[in-house]
Amino acid sequence: MDKIKQLQERKEKIMLAGKSVREDINALIDENSFVELSTFSFSRNEFYGEDAQGEGVVTGFATIDGFPYYIAAINPQVMQGGVSDAMCDKIFKCLDSAEKNDAPVIYILSTKGVQIGEGVSVLEGLSRLILKAVQLKGSVTQYAIINGEVYGQLAAIAAACDFTFFVKDKGVLAANSPLVISAKSGVNLPAKEVGGAAALNKANIASFVAENIVEVKGTISKITELLAIKVADSDEMNTVLAQLNEQVTAENLMNVFDENTAIETGACYSPEVKCVLGRIGGISAAAVIFDKEGGVMLDACKARKIKDFAEFACCNGLPFVTFVDCIGICPCLENNNSLVLKEITELVNVLDCLDSKVAVVSGKAVGIGYTLFAAKNMGYDCTFAFANAQIALFDGAQGAEIEYSGDKSADKAKLAERYAEENSDPVNAAKNGYIDNIIEPAFVKQYLAASLQMLLK
């Protein structure tokens, strides 16, 4: 028997079975950089009576713009991407190698669930794999690309990742089949309206929506560079942002980042809270910008979004910057009977673990909005406030009156005087040493860059 010819025939069969997924991998990586692992793995599915070429997943390592990554790409051409115990084992080996070599992981996911006929063994495989992905969180950066329909337990992998990309018009993610979810909910919805990025606006999973995998490649490359090279040369340290003196908006605040470095993650959900990675004066930082006229009110989803982002900053040694325009917790029945307080206490725990924090009160810092995102006793190293900012216990005189409406002994006139807008300026906080400086908005980048340089360890 000609072993060389046999090898060539087997390889040709495997390549044919994984043609589309290999094209996706090639679109993501540097040309000819992919080194495949466990190429000739296959197991037999007795239910279908056929082999699962390559276990239905392609794994290996490659580079993107010179940086190394491990890749696990499910092949939807093999049994519709059906998950098996053997597939889980192959991905697990890939993750184990990524951990040993301290390299990021990229999952390309497209699966409609487990392979029929697998039995309990696939549940054991999934438990091993999901546990490993969760254990890697905080030590190895993980990216998930939802490149098709992803249903079942493997959807939990996306939730464990630091960043999840939904490929436009293709990506759908759901813990169960959308048909089952629709039927149980008494509606008849297309899959995209059940598990598309826009439909998952409270799930805190969809980090980005990308046109294609080439766009995903560009974003992953920018994130990796920010994390790998934390300090870069910059000639933008002394930039004056004159437009901020005219109008303080989230759009104008985005200009504090060096040109072409800002990456907003999670814009699909809780859009009033912008979580942005980028460079400020050449220094990599993670920033939260509150974006709503009159100030943002916190709910469980917003608090969780900030907590997850702060946790990522903490695990990757990034300074954390807040542009505060927050007026406390949303006062409604739904929010009161939610996980908002639990999420806030978990956020406090993460904030305490951050090495360096800088706060800029750009709008209102009212009540817990000040406590969480600007208070010295919350560990903020530097706290600045714009000249037209407001810092107070309540959101204006009317808010104070409402809060004390049940207290007949409260002097409404005195409340109105104390919480009048002109008495809520940052000068009162600065008098007590809680604000390091009151600044013109135009010079905020200079203050931030200088502070971040000082905080470098």
Side-chain angles (χ1 to χ4, degrees):
M1 182 181 291
D2 188 338
K3 293 292 185 179
I4 300 297
K5 185 177 180 181
Q6 186 183 49
L7 174 64
Q8 290 172 342
E9 289 174 351
R10 285 177 173 172
K11 188 172 183 179
E12 183 179 356
K13 188 175 181 180
I14 289 172
M15 294 298 140
L16 184 62
K19 183 181 178 182
S20 64
V21 74
R22 292 174 197 280
E23 289 173 352
D24 291 333
I25 292 172
N26 289 333
L28 183 69
I29 64 173
D30 297 337
E31 189 175 3
N32 298 322
S33 68
F34 187 61
V35 177
E36 190 168 348
L37 302 172
S38 305
T39 308
F40 294 98
S41 296
F42 70 91
S43 56
R44 173 168 286 271
N45 185 297
E46 299 300 332
F47 189 86
Y48 289 105
E50 59 183 90
D51 295 335
Q53 296 290 344
E55 311 298 7
V57 62
V58 178
T59 61
F61 56 89
T63 60
I64 298 176
D65 289 343
F67 289 104
Y69 300 81
Y70 277 82
I71 298 171
I74 293 179
N75 182 4
Q77 290 179 283
V78 174
M79 299 181 187
Q80 295 186 315
V83 179
S84 65
D85 183 40
M87 175 193 285
C88 292
D89 187 54
K90 187 172 176 180
I91 298 174
F92 182 92
K93 289 178 182 176
C94 182
L95 300 188
D96 197 43
S97 296
E99 183 178 31
K100 289 176 181 176
N101 293 289
D102 195 26
V105 176
I106 301 173
Y107 307 90
I108 303 178
L109 303 178
S110 180
T111 174
K112 292 186 176 180
V114 298
Q115 289 183 24
I116 296 174
E118 272 284 308
V120 176
S121 61
V122 69
L123 300 180
E124 288 289 346
L126 281 163
S127 65
R128 182 171 68 251
L129 179 58
I130 292 170
L131 177 61
K132 185 67 173 180
V134 172
Q135 289 173 336
L136 289 182
K137 194 169 179 65
S139 60
V140 170
T141 306
Q142 297 177 86
Y143 304 87
I145 304 172
I146 310 303
N147 196 40
E149 297 166 291
V150 179
Y151 307 148
Q153 290 190 45
L154 211 60
I157 294 291
C161 286
D162 299 286
F163 301 100
T164 301
F165 297 80
F166 280 65
V167 177
K168 192 174 181 180
D169 298 326
K170 292 174 67 177
V172 177
L173 183 78
N176 304 98
S177 165
L179 288 174
V180 174
I181 293 172
S182 290
K184 290 286 186 180
S185 304
V187 293
N188 184 18
L189 297 173
K192 189 176 179 181
E193 291 185 28
V194 175
L200 299 176
N201 61 352
K202 293 184 179 179
N204 284 18
I205 292 178
S207 307
F208 305 95
V209 176
E211 289 289 337
N212 49 47
I213 287 188
V214 174
E215 185 178 324
V216 174
K217 175 182 179 179
T219 303
I220 289 177
S221 183
K222 285 179 70 175
I223 292 171
T224 302
E225 185 181 10
L226 285 169
L227 298 179
I229 306 170
K230 300 241 175 42
V231 184
D233 292 333
S234 174
D235 56 2
E236 297 187 43
M237 285 189 63
N238 296 315
T239 303
V240 176
L241 305 175
Q243 69 272 26
L244 279 173
N245 273 3
E246 298 172 12
Q247 188 178 21
V248 177
T249 64
E251 184 179 358
N252 287 340
L253 285 170
M254 288 289 287
N255 291 319
V256 300
F257 295 99
D258 299 349
E259 189 175 2
N260 297 322
T261 68
I263 307 165
E264 183 184 355
T265 176
C268 300
Y269 57 93
S270 299
E272 295 171 349
V273 175
K274 292 181 177 293
C275 295
V276 186
L277 296 170
R279 295 190 189 279
I280 301 173
I283 300 171
S284 297
V288 172
I289 301 174
F290 291 92
D291 181 18
K292 185 179 181 183
E293 187 176 352
V296 172
M297 289 186 177
L298 293 176
D299 58 25
C301 288
K302 295 185 184 76
R304 180 56 186 260
K305 182 177 182 179
I306 298 167
K307 189 214 80 171
D308 288 347
F309 188 60
E311 191 171 46
F312 177 80
C314 182
C315 292
N316 289 277
L318 296 175
F320 191 67
V321 180
T322 58
F323 292 92
V324 190
D325 192 6
C326 179
I327 56 176
I329 298 173
C330 180
C332 68
L333 283 172
E334 181 182 3
N335 201 39
N336 191 59
N337 186 28
S338 76
L339 294 173
V340 62
L341 292 175
K342 286 285 190 180
E343 295 293 354
I344 284 173
T345 55
E346 289 186 18
L347 169 59
V348 170
N349 187 49
V350 176
L351 291 173
D352 184 50
C353 295
L354 285 159
D355 284 336
S356 51
K357 300 190 287 290
V358 180
V360 178
V361 182
S362 56
K364 295 181 178 181
V366 176
I368 203 166
Y370 173 84
T371 303
L372 291 172
F373 306 116
K376 283 293 183 183
N377 284 312
M378 193 58 70
Y380 285 87
D381 301 281
C382 302
T383 303
F384 305 107
F386 289 172
N388 51 355
Q390 295 179 42
I391 300 173
L393 188 60
F394 301 108
D395 186 21
Q398 186 177 9
E401 285 187 25
I402 292 171
E403 191 73 23
Y404 282 95
S405 61
D407 186 355
K408 295 180 180 179
S409 65
D411 188 326
K412 291 189 177 182
K414 286 185 178 180
L415 285 175
E417 181 182 352
R418 174 167 291 185
Y419 294 103
E421 188 172 312
E422 58 268 22
N423 291 330
S424 296
D425 66 31
V427 172
N428 292 309
K431 285 178 181 177
N432 295 318
Y434 301 136
I435 303 295
D436 292 300
N437 211 336
I438 302 170
I439 64 176
E440 284 187 45
F443 299 111
V444 65
K445 183 165 184 175
Q446 296 178 22
Y447 280 91
L448 282 175
S451 299
L452 294 175
Q453 277 202 333
M454 179 270 294
L455 292 169
L456 282 175
K457 293 180 173 66

